[in-house]
Amino acid sequence: MKIAFCGKGGVGKSTIAALLCRALRERGLSVLAIDADPSPHLGRLLGFREEEKLVPLAEMRELLAERAQKSGPYYTLNPRIEDLPEKFMLVRDGLRLMVLGAIREAGGGCACPEQTVLRRLLSHLVLQAQEAVVVDMEAGVEHFGRATVVPMDFILVVVQPYRGSLETAKQILRLATELKLSNVLIVGNTMRTPEDEALVREGLGTTPVISFPEDPEVAAAERAGRSLLEIEGPAMEAARRLTQFLLSQGDL
Ligand SMILES: Nc1ncnc2c1ncn2[C@@H]1O[C@H](COP(=O)(O)OP(=O)(O)O)[C@@H](O)[C@H]1O
Ligand SMILES: [Mg+2]
């Protein structure tokens, strides 16, 4: 089962992705977690203390140089996950973490071929993975191209009950329609009242498949700089419900 989280910055993608990784592990699945946000946090949330030692895939210059057969403006880069050196992944108890990172370029923004290669590499790794995959995507919609989303079984758009988050979700849903994707689902976060649900329904024309409540346990872990591995509470329960829902959708 391959799942990507997207949505506006700050809506809770990484939080929910980390809790879902935990819930999938509880169900006995091996999990590959990929942090595709240029400022990565997923490793910290998953309790990988050595996260800062991990080399982002974007920096695998040696491997790029070694494996990229440059032909015209196009690269092909098809490393097998198992061939990736250990420095590109952290492993613990059936959970693997990879960090995509960002292509750094003088002057900021980058629509360079390396970025395209990186996206292709992501889709390639997701496609060949044998375990459940959870990708924590970059905020916004810019990354929302065919290569990134096609290998996914589910694209979960996280929304909070405010208009900015719904606007981003709406753009993502529009792009998904253009790409003829039928596996895009809304996940609510910090949903409190029936009015919140109504706002989402009015804004998007659909309701969340699962809604995560505001959870003081999540906030307390965040304040204390603790991972989300130990917390028990309404958010973790929602993650288990989300897992159950996803597992019940056909034989994936
Ligand atoms: N359900 C929740 N209850 C309490 N705090 C939350 C919840 N979801 C997210 N947060 C907090 O909101 C902030 C943003 O969440 P994060 O997962 O980093 O968002 P994103 O990855 O979308 O940018 C974090 O401080 C996180 O602890
Ligand atoms: Mg995040």
Side-chain angles (χ1 to χ4, degrees), residues 211-227:
S211 284
F212 283 68
E214 177 109 44
D215 186 343
E217 290 273 327
V218 172
E222 175 69 27
R223 272 196 303 275
R226 275 188 282 114
S227 79

Side-chain angles (χ1 to χ4, degrees), residues 174-222:
R174 207 176 297 133
L175 287 167
T177 307
E178 279 168 26
L179 294 171
K180 299 191 169 50
L181 304 173
S182 55
N183 50 354
V184 183
L185 303 170
I186 303 295
V187 170
N189 191 25
T190 61
M191 303 286 282
R192 271 181 292 258
T193 61
E195 286 77 17
D196 289 342
E197 298 276 343
L199 185 73
V200 173
R201 194 168 54 245
E202 280 157 27
L204 301 179
T206 179
T207 44
V209 289
I210 299 284
S211 284
F212 283 68
E214 177 109 44
D215 186 343
E217 290 273 327
V218 172
E222 175 69 27

Side-chain angles (χ1 to χ4, degrees), residues 47-97:
F48 285 102
R49 288 165 191 274
E50 64 279 51
E51 185 186 23
E52 67 282 358
K53 289 192 214 131
L54 195 61
V55 180
L57 292 167
E59 287 174 30
M60 60 179 206
R61 303 217 178 277
E62 268 174 48
L63 216 76
L64 266 167
E66 192 183 297
R67 291 176 190 267
Q69 302 129 23
K70 211 172 173 189
S71 57
Y74 300 105
Y75 294 76
T76 53
L77 181 72
N78 303 322
R80 286 166 17 92
I81 292 183
E82 311 308 327
D83 292 345
L84 288 176
E86 274 171 18
K87 62 182 178 180
F88 294 116
M89 60 185 107
L90 294 172
V91 186
R92 190 197 57 231
D93 302 336
L95 178 64
R96 284 202 278 189
L97 173 74

Side-chain angles (χ1 to χ4, degrees), residues 11-31:
V11 291
K13 295 180 293 298
S14 303
T15 301
I16 295 176
L19 294 176
L20 184 72
C21 287
R22 250 184 84 187
L24 288 165
R25 283 294 301 127
E26 283 181 358
R27 298 292 292 263
L29 293 161
S30 299
V31 176

